[in-house]
Amino acid sequence: MADELAADHPEITVSIHHVDAIGYDGGLTGLEGYTDLPILQDDTTADVWNNWGATWRDVYVLDGDNHVYAVFNLTTYSLADSANYAALYDLFVDAASAP
């Protein structure tokens, strides 16, 4: 999706990252074979998952000021469904274009 966004909307910048929860770092070594996303490991200093109230497979879409614009859960809204894919795609475009 990141490549598609860049090709379709060169006027905006969208950066997608994977944030691994504290205690789940054991599978990181094999994860890079499944994704080309940058992988960030949460820790007790940042404590992103707890501070944001994240749940498994949440996608946090941030605006240009790094404020949460939307939360989209991939378990509830599988990207295998083209309508869900389009909805998440549109959230990225809308957030990047928001004033």
Side-chain angles (χ1 to χ4, degrees), residues 7-98:
D8 294 347
H9 297 279
E11 75 281 4
I12 63 174
T13 301
V14 175
S15 180
I16 302 174
H17 303 273
H18 169 103
V19 179
D20 197 48
I22 296 170
Y24 291 92
D25 56 335
L28 284 179
T29 54
L31 187 59
E32 61 265 340
Y34 294 98
T35 183
D36 60 355
L37 298 177
I39 302 168
L40 309 170
Q41 178 59 53
D42 198 6
D43 60 24
T44 55
T45 302
D47 203 15
V48 173
W49 273 62
N50 286 324
N51 287 329
W52 286 17
T55 60
W56 183 248
R57 301 191 77 208
D58 277 346
V59 175
Y60 278 75
V61 179
L62 308 180
D63 65 16
D65 294 324
N66 285 330
H67 297 123
V68 176
Y69 183 84
V71 179
F72 190 96
N73 186 275
L74 297 177
T75 299
T76 304
Y77 303 103
S78 170
L79 295 184
D81 180 324
S82 61
N84 293 338
Y85 185 96
L88 181 57
Y89 181 98
D90 289 344
L91 283 174
F92 281 122
V93 172
D94 293 347
S97 303

